[in-house]
Amino acid sequence: MVSKINKKILLAVSGGIAAYKTAELVRLLRKKNAEVRVVLTHAAAKFVTPLTFQALSGHAVATELLDTGQENAMGHINLARWADLLIVAPASANIIAKFSHGIADDLLSTLYLAAECPVYVAPAMNQAMWHKPATQDNIKRIQNHGVTLIGPDSGNQACGEQGFGRMSAPQEICNCLLTGNTSSLLQGKSILISAGPTREPLDPVRYITNRSSGKMGYALAEAAINQGASVTMISGPVSLTAPPKTSLIQVETAQQMYEEVLQRASLYDVYIGAAAVADYSPDIVKDEKIKKQADRTTLVLRKNKDILSAVAHLKQRPFTVGFAAETHELERYARGKLERKNLDMIAANWVGKESGGFEDDNNALQVFWRQGRQHFEMMNKKKLAEKLIELIAEKVDEKSTTKNP
Ligand code: C5P
């Protein structure tokens, strides 16, 4: 619950269909006692009229840099000085590019250069535009310049496509601005998580599966969201509810999980394979219930594709994290998998008597990467997920700094 806060908020709207949602943001901010002044780019004014924002904010709306009338009311430098914070929502790829390169050719880009207050940016664009290296470079640059990112989220887009680039919900932006609570180790990063068991059918009523509650994968999704990431989870059948804001894709078999993961993995920054994927599936799935006859019977099984290894061997691969459940020689087997599957990191745990894991609420992990290791002692899976996500964020960051010094 956000308490009332007196803040002077300069709200800038750039061109995008999400501009209509920003009208609601003005209302939410004013309800919390904030004083809001609105700036529209010319493109934004094609989506929503200045009059809408004037009526909602109770102040004239600024659109022009070189207009004596508007500059007399409150010039761009005065507007920048007046604000306790500047929020740009929606922020288009174009305005982000201008901010990134210090271009000041209209009111908003000039205001941004003149602003000395904290700046928040809530991007909104088509998923392909969001993933373009040019946009990602610009995002990193403005973050390095001190801008705080809010979102974007993933989901259905106005253009009919699916993916990242949807503006965060106005309520969420409002909460971030008023509380300053933008845990941001993974801000702007997209994470794909596989979770839960898979089920491999034998016939219409029977299947083989692994013992897995999905608790670890679901806790990782929540921890990543709390650090500002956009999360998609490909989940086998579990009795858990996905954390709010997770984009959830439910599957049943290892093959379905393989297809759902592989078709999108290269678009993500991080892949965490936390699912207990069945290693083998029945070679033949009967259409009819298999009848009980002989005292002994044989099942012929066929090996499933290794999803984790396939992701880690993609040409354009995310930072890839696997899990390893071992009953003996934990480090040797875990490090073997790290190498063989081409992973960036592996989180290993003992399984067996009194060792947590599987359906337990607690777990302990030994995490290995090529140059190091970290031990997380037995603790609640939620806490453990937070620690692991912090470690992943640190290593992802190190990797991207080595790539782009
Ligand atoms: O080789 P092993 O099954 O022990 O490796 C465990 C890791 O590999 C886990 O991260 C699991 O999600 C992943 N895995 C997979 N596809 C499989 C089997 C395991 O992604 N078919």
Side-chain angles (χ1 to χ4, degrees):
M1 183 68 186
V2 179
S3 56
K4 297 212 166 206
I5 292 185
N6 296 305
K7 267 191 179 168
K8 295 186 193 126
I9 296 183
L10 185 54
L11 172 61
V13 188
S14 67
I17 184 60
Y20 81 91
K21 293 193 203 164
T22 310
E24 172 70 359
L25 178 59
V26 178
R27 204 185 58 77
L28 291 171
L29 289 168
R30 290 202 66 195
K31 235 169 94 182
K32 294 290 175 194
N33 247 21
E35 192 180 343
V36 183
R37 285 179 183 264
V38 180
V39 169
L40 292 189
T41 64
H42 289 170
K46 303 240 185 228
F47 288 96
V48 230
T49 68
L51 198 58
T52 307
F53 284 105
Q54 182 176 312
L56 288 167
S57 68
H59 292 287
V61 169
T63 53
E64 304 299 328
L65 179 62
L66 305 172
D67 178 300
T68 42
Q70 288 197 3
E71 282 286 299
N72 275 341
M74 193 184 288
H76 63 280
I77 300 292
N78 287 342
L79 262 178
R81 296 289 164 274
W82 169 84
D84 292 329
L85 66 86
L86 167 64
I87 162 76
V88 186
S92 63
N94 180 52
I95 202 72
I96 291 169
K98 285 190 193 181
F99 289 175
S100 156
H101 293 281
I103 294 168
D105 65 351
D106 64 1
L107 177 60
L108 175 51
S109 52
T110 310
L111 258 174
Y112 170 76
L113 273 190
E116 290 176 315
C117 59
V119 179
Y120 294 78
V121 159
M125 66 196 75
N126 165 272
Q127 53 84 24
M129 293 171 75
W130 171 253
H131 287 296
K132 269 282 146 66
T135 306
Q136 288 302 309
D137 287 349
N138 288 331
I139 290 287
K140 277 185 204 111
R141 280 170 63 95
I142 63 169
Q143 283 184 298
N144 287 339
H145 300 163
V147 168
T148 304
L149 226 58
I150 303 177
D153 284 352
S154 71
N156 293 331
Q157 301 203 303
C159 53
E161 293 180 17
Q162 262 258 339
F164 293 95
R166 207 165 74 160
M167 190 174 85
S168 295
Q171 185 64 64
E172 190 190 333
I173 300 175
C174 177
N175 291 350
C176 288
L177 297 180
L178 297 184
T179 61
N181 183 9
T182 52
S183 264
S184 58
L185 288 177
L186 289 169
Q187 200 69 53
K189 295 271 188 285
S190 53
I191 310 225
L192 184 64
I193 300 176
S194 67
T198 62
R199 276 182 190 167
E200 312 305 322
L202 276 161
D203 68 16
V205 292
R206 303 185 184 92
Y207 54 80
I208 54 175
T209 190
N210 279 328
R211 279 176 64 182
S212 165
S213 62
K215 281 179 193 158
M216 195 64 208
Y218 279 58
L220 285 166
E222 188 172 355
I225 285 167
N226 290 342
Q227 288 296 351
S230 309
V231 174
T232 300
M233 190 158 51
I234 316 289
S235 176
V238 294
S239 52
L240 300 171
T241 309
K245 293 181 65 188
T246 311
S247 163
L248 177 70
I249 296 161
Q250 289 168 307
V251 295
E252 218 165 282
T253 65
Q255 178 61 25
Q256 287 165 357
M257 187 172 274
Y258 176 90
E259 283 162 19
E260 294 293 348
V261 170
L262 266 292
Q263 67 169 269
R264 46 177 67 75
S266 56
L267 294 174
Y268 285 73
D269 296 303
V270 179
Y271 172 67
I272 308 177
V277 187
D279 291 322
Y280 291 88
S281 302
D283 196 29
I284 296 168
V285 184
K286 298 274 190 209
D287 289 338
E288 292 175 357
K289 187 177 170 192
I290 303 166
K291 285 303 196 196
K292 178 169 51 181
Q293 281 167 347
D295 284 349
R296 294 167 69 88
T297 184
T298 312
L299 267 182
V300 179
L301 302 175
R302 142 182 63 73
K303 201 167 186 182
N304 286 323
K305 287 181 243 173
D306 192 309
I307 304 168
L308 186 61
S309 176
V311 170
H313 284 94
L314 286 172
K315 208 160 149 211
Q316 200 179 332
R317 68 192 278 283
F319 184 93
T320 310
V321 182
F323 276 78
E326 307 293 346
T327 54
H328 60 288
E329 292 199 66
L330 185 102
E331 177 159 6
R332 189 161 78 84
Y333 283 117
R335 284 207 180 272
K337 281 174 198 175
L338 184 77
E339 286 305 323
R340 207 170 50 252
K341 300 196 188 199
N342 194 35
L343 310 180
D344 293 289
M345 190 184 268
I346 190 150
N349 64 301
W350 294 109
V351 285
K353 278 191 204 145
E354 296 163 23
S355 50
F358 291 144
E359 285 147 342
D360 211 308
D361 277 338
N362 297 316
N363 204 358
L365 288 177
Q366 289 276 6
V367 187
F368 303 101
W369 57 99
R370 291 217 162 67
Q371 297 82 17
R373 60 190 299 156
Q374 184 149 344
H375 174 68
F376 293 125
E377 64 196 20
M378 183 70 75
M379 63 181 104
N380 180 285
K381 279 182 180 167
K382 285 204 176 208
K383 195 80 218 149
L384 193 61
E386 285 169 18
K387 300 256 179 220
L388 186 57
I389 285 293
E390 282 168 24
L391 182 64
I392 292 171
E394 187 189 312
K395 297 295 162 203
V396 169
D397 210 40
E398 275 177 23
K399 197 166 177 181
S400 65
T401 325
T402 342
K403 261 201 269 173
N404 317 301

